[in-house]
Each structure stands twice: as C-alpha cells, then as structure tokens.
Amino acid sequence: MKLSVPIAEVKRMAVHDGPGVRTTVFVKGCPLHCLWCHNPECISARPEIMFRAARCTGCRRCEAVCPNRAHRIAEEGHHIFRRELCTACGACAGVCFSGALTLCGKPMTPETLLGELLEDVDFYRVSGGGVTISGGEPLLYPAFCLALFRLLGREKIHRALDTSAAVPWEAFERVLPECDLLLIDFKHPDPERHRALTGMDNRQIRENLRRLQAFDVPIEIRIPFVPGYNDSPRELEAAAEFLDSLPRVTRVRVLAYHSFARSKYAAVGRRDTMPQVESPSRERVEAVEQIFRANCA
Ligand code: SF4
Ligand code: SF4
C-alpha cells in the first residue's frame, strides 16, 4: 500500500531541528491552533494555493489556465484571487514563474521523499545531522512516519520527530522503535490556559510525556517563549518543575517568538492570529533559559 501525505515543504540545510545539518519535512495538518503559529500553511491538512500578491507581475497566465475562474487581473493590474472557487488543482502554480502562486501540500510517499532526502546525505554524515519530520503534526500520520523512518534507518541516517504530542498514545507507540530523537513542544503548564492559547488542553501532552519516560528515546523539549502569554515567573517555574520530573529529557530549548510568519497568513488567506508583541531581547531569552537550566537537572 502506498502512503502519501500532504507535504508543505522539504527544507534543506536546516540547523535548528535537531543535531547537525538536517533536511526537515513539513507535513500539513495540525490538531492545535496556537495563537502564535509560525507555520499557518501547515494547519489545514488540505492542499492549498499560497498567493503572494507582491510577487505578481500581472502576466495573466494563471487567469488563462484556471478551470474555475478563480484569478482575475483587473484593468489597473490588480490581481483578484477568489480562493473560495479554488480546488487546488495546481494548474496556476505550474505556470506562475514569478513565484506569486505555489501549491502547498503536494501528496508525497516515503519512497518519493527518500530520493530527495538522500541528496544531502554527505552533509548529514559530516555534521552528525539527519532528517526531521515536522509540521503541522507528523503523528497525525504515524504509518507514514514509520515507513519513512524505516527507509532512513536502512541508510543509517539519524531520524528526529518534531511533535506537539497532542495525539493519541498509539501514534507514538508505532513510531518509537524507528525514532532516534523526539523534539516536543511544551507550550504552557496549565491545562485551561493551554486550551485558551492553542485550542486544546495539555492533559494528553503531559500524559504522553510521562509514558515516554519508559522508552529509550532522548527528548528535547522546546518552549515557545511568547512574551505576555507564557513567561510569568509562576508559569515558567511550573513548566520547569514538570519537566524536571522527566528523566528522558536531555535538553530544554527556549524558542523566542518572532513575527516572520505574518506574511504567510495572508498568503494562505487566514486571519492573522499572531500576538502583537515584540520579539524578546537576547538577554530576556537567556534569563528564561537560565530558569530551565537551574530547575531541570
Ligand atoms: S501567473 Fe503569477 S505572475 Fe502571472 S498573473 Fe498569475 S500570479 Fe501573477
Ligand atoms: S489551483 Fe487550480 S482551481 Fe485553484 S486557482 Fe489555481 S488553477 Fe484555479
């Protein structure tokens, strides 16, 4: 049976998604809706057109090929894209040479991806890197993750899984035997505040983290640090206290909020939910990191 999953992006030369130089595979589809989501194009599991109006040259190729008349270039050159008519066939993206239109979410199988991932195998070997599956939420597709990790394992390539852990335990159980490193987000220690910020409480995440302690897979925790949302001393200390009870956690990283994703919300036609806050200073990030260093052995 062929397993295909909607892929938003295959990002080469990634250096923040696990050790060494890596290729990160971003799947589409996520059970959470974090206010500060940096990958809004990965929220929906459905393929969708990304439209970046500033790149449009007004060449009208998209207008000519769209079977649903979703594109119209007005007299004054203004590009009107009626997303509600789009069926994501990809024809317009195929003729848009300026990069204004791209199809996000092309279904790919582990076998197809493997060829692309092997192109950088020398970088993985020299740097101690490998491949990370991220998203979106990869564990919405455990059979896909397992199959891709098996293929990579045969090539002796390091395999990391970047997950919110907001998934049924059975998904972890399937993938763990082929996984070398887990990267797990911990967004907020309080269940109800977690629900307000992400759309789901954190009970399942905490329970999965506890159960993972029985397995020999190292865990790197990633704290999205969003000033004013999860950074009071009480919130940080509660998070540090919980994480300190998890012996498989080998590292806690603080990922500072940034607003670079703002243009992506417009490109996929989503309401921008990014908090209107400044990125924290390097000193502030270091102070938060120090809280976790001091409290997590
Ligand atoms: S094909 Fe691309 S550049 Fe040409 S009109 Fe359409 S969006 Fe603009
Ligand atoms: S993806 Fe297909 S249906 Fe959607 S706008 Fe482009 S050509 Fe039209």
Side-chain angles (χ1 to χ4, degrees), residues 49 62 65-71 81-83 85-93 101 103:
I49 286 288
C62 53
V65 299
C66 179
N68 301 323
R69 298 177 183 270
H71 295 284
F81 174 37
R82 294 186 59 193
R83 186 174 291 279
L85 300 179
C86 174
T87 52
C89 72
C92 58
L101 296 167
L103 179 65

PDB file of all heavy atoms in Angstrom, residues 49 62 65-71 81-83 85-93 101 103, ligand 2:
ATOM      1  N   ILE A  49      -3.460  26.765  -2.270  1.00  0.00           N
ATOM      2  CA  ILE A  49      -2.611  27.687  -3.019  1.00  0.00           C
ATOM      3  C   ILE A  49      -2.112  28.781  -2.085  1.00  0.00           C
ATOM      4  O   ILE A  49      -2.887  29.352  -1.313  1.00  0.00           O
ATOM      5  CB  ILE A  49      -3.411  28.316  -4.189  1.00  0.00           C
ATOM      6  CG1 ILE A  49      -3.617  27.299  -5.308  1.00  0.00           C
ATOM      7  CG2 ILE A  49      -2.731  29.570  -4.726  1.00  0.00           C
ATOM      8  CD1 ILE A  49      -2.359  26.956  -6.110  1.00  0.00           C
ATOM      9  N   CYS A  62      -2.099  32.655 -15.073  1.00  0.00           N
ATOM     10  CA  CYS A  62      -2.988  31.931 -14.154  1.00  0.00           C
ATOM     11  C   CYS A  62      -4.449  32.094 -14.577  1.00  0.00           C
ATOM     12  O   CYS A  62      -5.235  31.149 -14.525  1.00  0.00           O
ATOM     13  CB  CYS A  62      -2.787  32.423 -12.720  1.00  0.00           C
ATOM     14  SG  CYS A  62      -2.936  34.208 -12.548  1.00  0.00           S
ATOM     15  N   VAL A  65      -5.331  29.638 -17.350  1.00  0.00           N
ATOM     16  CA  VAL A  65      -5.374  28.181 -17.130  1.00  0.00           C
ATOM     17  C   VAL A  65      -6.369  27.738 -16.060  1.00  0.00           C
ATOM     18  O   VAL A  65      -6.730  26.557 -16.000  1.00  0.00           O
ATOM     19  CB  VAL A  65      -3.985  27.595 -16.757  1.00  0.00           C
ATOM     20  CG1 VAL A  65      -2.983  27.835 -17.874  1.00  0.00           C
ATOM     21  CG2 VAL A  65      -3.479  28.139 -15.429  1.00  0.00           C
ATOM     22  N   CYS A  66      -6.826  28.629 -15.212  1.00  0.00           N
ATOM     23  CA  CYS A  66      -7.688  28.186 -14.104  1.00  0.00           C
ATOM     24  C   CYS A  66      -9.054  27.729 -14.625  1.00  0.00           C
ATOM     25  O   CYS A  66      -9.779  28.509 -15.244  1.00  0.00           O
ATOM     26  CB  CYS A  66      -7.881  29.301 -13.083  1.00  0.00           C
ATOM     27  SG  CYS A  66      -8.977  28.761 -11.746  1.00  0.00           S
ATOM     28  N   PRO A  67      -9.426  26.469 -14.364  1.00  0.00           N
ATOM     29  CA  PRO A  67     -10.718  25.978 -14.857  1.00  0.00           C
ATOM     30  C   PRO A  67     -11.904  26.576 -14.099  1.00  0.00           C
ATOM     31  O   PRO A  67     -13.040  26.484 -14.561  1.00  0.00           O
ATOM     32  CB  PRO A  67     -10.639  24.463 -14.620  1.00  0.00           C
ATOM     33  CG  PRO A  67      -9.654  24.297 -13.506  1.00  0.00           C
ATOM     34  CD  PRO A  67      -8.675  25.429 -13.631  1.00  0.00           C
ATOM     35  N   ASN A  68     -11.626  27.185 -12.965  1.00  0.00           N
ATOM     36  CA  ASN A  68     -12.725  27.701 -12.118  1.00  0.00           C
ATOM     37  C   ASN A  68     -12.803  29.224 -12.084  1.00  0.00           C
ATOM     38  O   ASN A  68     -13.537  29.774 -11.265  1.00  0.00           O
ATOM     39  CB  ASN A  68     -12.559  27.171 -10.680  1.00  0.00           C
ATOM     40  CG  ASN A  68     -12.575  25.655 -10.647  1.00  0.00           C
ATOM     41  OD1 ASN A  68     -13.313  25.017 -11.392  1.00  0.00           O
ATOM     42  ND2 ASN A  68     -11.733  25.076  -9.810  1.00  0.00           N
ATOM     43  N   ARG A  69     -12.021  29.872 -12.927  1.00  0.00           N
ATOM     44  CA  ARG A  69     -12.010  31.340 -12.993  1.00  0.00           C
ATOM     45  C   ARG A  69     -11.752  31.985 -11.632  1.00  0.00           C
ATOM     46  O   ARG A  69     -12.415  32.947 -11.232  1.00  0.00           O
ATOM     47  CB  ARG A  69     -13.334  31.869 -13.568  1.00  0.00           C
ATOM     48  CG  ARG A  69     -13.594  31.418 -14.986  1.00  0.00           C
ATOM     49  CD  ARG A  69     -14.933  31.906 -15.484  1.00  0.00           C
ATOM     50  NE  ARG A  69     -15.221  31.413 -16.809  1.00  0.00           N
ATOM     51  CZ  ARG A  69     -14.878  32.039 -17.929  1.00  0.00           C
ATOM     52  NH1 ARG A  69     -14.224  33.181 -17.875  1.00  0.00           N
ATOM     53  NH2 ARG A  69     -15.175  31.522 -19.100  1.00  0.00           N
ATOM     54  N   ALA A  70     -10.812  31.408 -10.922  1.00  0.00           N
ATOM     55  CA  ALA A  70     -10.519  31.927  -9.581  1.00  0.00           C
ATOM     56  C   ALA A  70      -9.594  33.153  -9.628  1.00  0.00           C
ATOM     57  O   ALA A  70      -9.481  33.867  -8.636  1.00  0.00           O
ATOM     58  CB  ALA A  70      -9.877  30.838  -8.720  1.00  0.00           C
ATOM     59  N   HIS A  71      -8.903  33.350 -10.776  1.00  0.00           N
ATOM     60  CA  HIS A  71      -7.996  34.505 -10.887  1.00  0.00           C
ATOM     61  C   HIS A  71      -8.567  35.519 -11.873  1.00  0.00           C
ATOM     62  O   HIS A  71      -9.071  35.150 -12.944  1.00  0.00           O
ATOM     63  CB  HIS A  71      -6.625  34.068 -11.428  1.00  0.00           C
ATOM     64  CG  HIS A  71      -5.887  33.140 -10.500  1.00  0.00           C
ATOM     65  ND1 HIS A  71      -5.249  33.561  -9.368  1.00  0.00           N
ATOM     66  CD2 HIS A  71      -5.699  31.791 -10.560  1.00  0.00           C
ATOM     67  CE1 HIS A  71      -4.696  32.521  -8.752  1.00  0.00           C
ATOM     68  NE2 HIS A  71      -4.961  31.430  -9.456  1.00  0.00           N
ATOM     69  N   PHE A  81      -7.899  37.219  -6.436  1.00  0.00           N
ATOM     70  CA  PHE A  81      -7.886  35.744  -6.297  1.00  0.00           C
ATOM     71  C   PHE A  81      -9.090  35.352  -5.443  1.00  0.00           C
ATOM     72  O   PHE A  81      -9.164  35.710  -4.271  1.00  0.00           O
ATOM     73  CB  PHE A  81      -6.583  35.285  -5.644  1.00  0.00           C
ATOM     74  CG  PHE A  81      -6.536  33.807  -5.330  1.00  0.00           C
ATOM     75  CD1 PHE A  81      -7.102  32.866  -6.187  1.00  0.00           C
ATOM     76  CD2 PHE A  81      -5.908  33.347  -4.185  1.00  0.00           C
ATOM     77  CE1 PHE A  81      -7.053  31.501  -5.907  1.00  0.00           C
ATOM     78  CE2 PHE A  81      -5.854  31.986  -3.884  1.00  0.00           C
ATOM     79  CZ  PHE A  81      -6.440  31.066  -4.752  1.00  0.00           C
ATOM     80  N   ARG A  82     -10.008  34.599  -6.039  1.00  0.00           N
ATOM     81  CA  ARG A  82     -11.200  34.151  -5.295  1.00  0.00           C
ATOM     82  C   ARG A  82     -10.932  32.731  -4.793  1.00  0.00           C
ATOM     83  O   ARG A  82     -11.224  31.734  -5.454  1.00  0.00           O
ATOM     84  CB  ARG A  82     -12.442  34.235  -6.181  1.00  0.00           C
ATOM     85  CG  ARG A  82     -12.762  35.690  -6.532  1.00  0.00           C
ATOM     86  CD  ARG A  82     -14.049  35.798  -7.277  1.00  0.00           C
ATOM     87  NE  ARG A  82     -15.184  35.271  -6.514  1.00  0.00           N
ATOM     88  CZ  ARG A  82     -16.380  35.014  -7.017  1.00  0.00           C
ATOM     89  NH1 ARG A  82     -16.610  35.254  -8.305  1.00  0.00           N
ATOM     90  NH2 ARG A  82     -17.344  34.536  -6.267  1.00  0.00           N
ATOM     91  N   ARG A  83     -10.375  32.683  -3.592  1.00  0.00           N
ATOM     92  CA  ARG A  83      -9.947  31.410  -3.009  1.00  0.00           C
ATOM     93  C   ARG A  83     -11.102  30.420  -2.893  1.00  0.00           C
ATOM     94  O   ARG A  83     -10.913  29.208  -3.003  1.00  0.00           O
ATOM     95  CB  ARG A  83      -9.321  31.669  -1.633  1.00  0.00           C
ATOM     96  CG  ARG A  83      -8.702  30.464  -0.971  1.00  0.00           C
ATOM     97  CD  ARG A  83      -7.989  30.833   0.305  1.00  0.00           C
ATOM     98  NE  ARG A  83      -6.788  31.606   0.088  1.00  0.00           N
ATOM     99  CZ  ARG A  83      -5.614  31.083  -0.259  1.00  0.00           C
ATOM    100  NH1 ARG A  83      -5.483  29.780  -0.401  1.00  0.00           N
ATOM    101  NH2 ARG A  83      -4.560  31.850  -0.454  1.00  0.00           N
ATOM    102  N   LEU A  85     -13.286  29.655  -4.905  1.00  0.00           N
ATOM    103  CA  LEU A  85     -13.523  28.906  -6.150  1.00  0.00           C
ATOM    104  C   LEU A  85     -12.427  27.878  -6.424  1.00  0.00           C
ATOM    105  O   LEU A  85     -12.549  27.040  -7.312  1.00  0.00           O
ATOM    106  CB  LEU A  85     -13.591  29.874  -7.340  1.00  0.00           C
ATOM    107  CG  LEU A  85     -14.688  30.941  -7.306  1.00  0.00           C
ATOM    108  CD1 LEU A  85     -14.598  31.820  -8.548  1.00  0.00           C
ATOM    109  CD2 LEU A  85     -16.064  30.280  -7.228  1.00  0.00           C
ATOM    110  N   CYS A  86     -11.346  27.962  -5.682  1.00  0.00           N
ATOM    111  CA  CYS A  86     -10.152  27.154  -5.975  1.00  0.00           C
ATOM    112  C   CYS A  86     -10.318  25.709  -5.492  1.00  0.00           C
ATOM    113  O   CYS A  86     -10.746  25.470  -4.365  1.00  0.00           O
ATOM    114  CB  CYS A  86      -8.946  27.793  -5.293  1.00  0.00           C
ATOM    115  SG  CYS A  86      -7.445  26.811  -5.426  1.00  0.00           S
ATOM    116  N   THR A  87      -9.967  24.757  -6.336  1.00  0.00           N
ATOM    117  CA  THR A  87      -9.995  23.345  -5.957  1.00  0.00           C
ATOM    118  C   THR A  87      -8.576  22.774  -5.810  1.00  0.00           C
ATOM    119  O   THR A  87      -8.394  21.561  -5.746  1.00  0.00           O
ATOM    120  CB  THR A  87     -10.759  22.524  -7.019  1.00  0.00           C
ATOM    121  OG1 THR A  87     -10.198  22.826  -8.304  1.00  0.00           O
ATOM    122  CG2 THR A  87     -12.239  22.834  -7.004  1.00  0.00           C
ATOM    123  N   ALA A  88      -7.598  23.661  -5.767  1.00  0.00           N
ATOM    124  CA  ALA A  88      -6.196  23.282  -5.547  1.00  0.00           C
ATOM    125  C   ALA A  88      -5.696  22.271  -6.579  1.00  0.00           C
ATOM    126  O   ALA A  88      -4.927  21.368  -6.257  1.00  0.00           O
ATOM    127  CB  ALA A  88      -5.997  22.741  -4.123  1.00  0.00           C
ATOM    128  N   CYS A  89      -6.089  22.477  -7.839  1.00  0.00           N
ATOM    129  CA  CYS A  89      -5.595  21.572  -8.893  1.00  0.00           C
ATOM    130  C   CYS A  89      -4.120  21.849  -9.193  1.00  0.00           C
ATOM    131  O   CYS A  89      -3.429  21.002  -9.748  1.00  0.00           O
ATOM    132  CB  CYS A  89      -6.436  21.723 -10.161  1.00  0.00           C
ATOM    133  SG  CYS A  89      -6.155  23.277 -11.028  1.00  0.00           S
ATOM    134  N   GLY A  90      -3.642  23.047  -8.882  1.00  0.00           N
ATOM    135  CA  GLY A  90      -2.228  23.374  -9.059  1.00  0.00           C
ATOM    136  C   GLY A  90      -1.866  23.921 -10.429  1.00  0.00           C
ATOM    137  O   GLY A  90      -0.714  24.283 -10.663  1.00  0.00           O
ATOM    138  N   ALA A  91      -2.848  24.020 -11.349  1.00  0.00           N
ATOM    139  CA  ALA A  91      -2.518  24.455 -12.713  1.00  0.00           C
ATOM    140  C   ALA A  91      -1.918  25.853 -12.731  1.00  0.00           C
ATOM    141  O   ALA A  91      -0.943  26.118 -13.437  1.00  0.00           O
ATOM    142  CB  ALA A  91      -3.777  24.407 -13.589  1.00  0.00           C
ATOM    143  N   CYS A  92      -2.470  26.767 -11.945  1.00  0.00           N
ATOM    144  CA  CYS A  92      -1.967  28.153 -11.957  1.00  0.00           C
ATOM    145  C   CYS A  92      -0.538  28.214 -11.407  1.00  0.00           C
ATOM    146  O   CYS A  92       0.306  28.934 -11.948  1.00  0.00           O
ATOM    147  CB  CYS A  92      -2.895  29.074 -11.175  1.00  0.00           C
ATOM    148  SG  CYS A  92      -3.125  28.599  -9.459  1.00  0.00           S
ATOM    149  N   ALA A  93      -0.273  27.454 -10.350  1.00  0.00           N
ATOM    150  CA  ALA A  93       1.081  27.460  -9.780  1.00  0.00           C
ATOM    151  C   ALA A  93       2.086  26.945 -10.806  1.00  0.00           C
ATOM    152  O   ALA A  93       3.231  27.399 -10.851  1.00  0.00           O
ATOM    153  CB  ALA A  93       1.117  26.611  -8.516  1.00  0.00           C
ATOM    154  N   LEU A 101       2.394  32.349  -7.052  1.00  0.00           N
ATOM    155  CA  LEU A 101       1.478  31.244  -6.745  1.00  0.00           C
ATOM    156  C   LEU A 101       2.274  29.956  -6.550  1.00  0.00           C
ATOM    157  O   LEU A 101       3.077  29.588  -7.414  1.00  0.00           O
ATOM    158  CB  LEU A 101       0.485  31.037  -7.901  1.00  0.00           C
ATOM    159  CG  LEU A 101      -0.466  32.206  -8.173  1.00  0.00           C
ATOM    160  CD1 LEU A 101      -1.161  32.023  -9.522  1.00  0.00           C
ATOM    161  CD2 LEU A 101      -1.503  32.321  -7.061  1.00  0.00           C
ATOM    162  N   LEU A 103       1.721  25.791  -4.959  1.00  0.00           N
ATOM    163  CA  LEU A 103       0.798  24.808  -4.392  1.00  0.00           C
ATOM    164  C   LEU A 103       1.461  24.195  -3.161  1.00  0.00           C
ATOM    165  O   LEU A 103       2.540  23.611  -3.246  1.00  0.00           O
ATOM    166  CB  LEU A 103       0.478  23.710  -5.418  1.00  0.00           C
ATOM    167  CG  LEU A 103      -0.466  22.616  -4.912  1.00  0.00           C
ATOM    168  CD1 LEU A 103      -1.853  23.188  -4.611  1.00  0.00           C
ATOM    169  CD2 LEU A 103      -0.582  21.482  -5.937  1.00  0.00           C
TER     170      LEU A 103
HETATM  171  S1  SF4 B   2      -5.153  25.702  -8.117  1.00  0.00           S
HETATM  172 FE1  SF4 B   2      -6.460  25.227  -9.904  1.00  0.00          FE
HETATM  173  S2  SF4 B   2      -8.516  25.825  -9.253  1.00  0.00           S
HETATM  174 FE2  SF4 B   2      -7.101  26.772  -7.799  1.00  0.00          FE
HETATM  175  S3  SF4 B   2      -6.773  28.822  -8.596  1.00  0.00           S
HETATM  176 FE3  SF4 B   2      -5.119  27.527  -9.398  1.00  0.00          FE
HETATM  177  S4  SF4 B   2      -5.844  26.779 -11.390  1.00  0.00           S
HETATM  178 FE4  SF4 B   2      -7.631  27.608 -10.293  1.00  0.00          FE
END
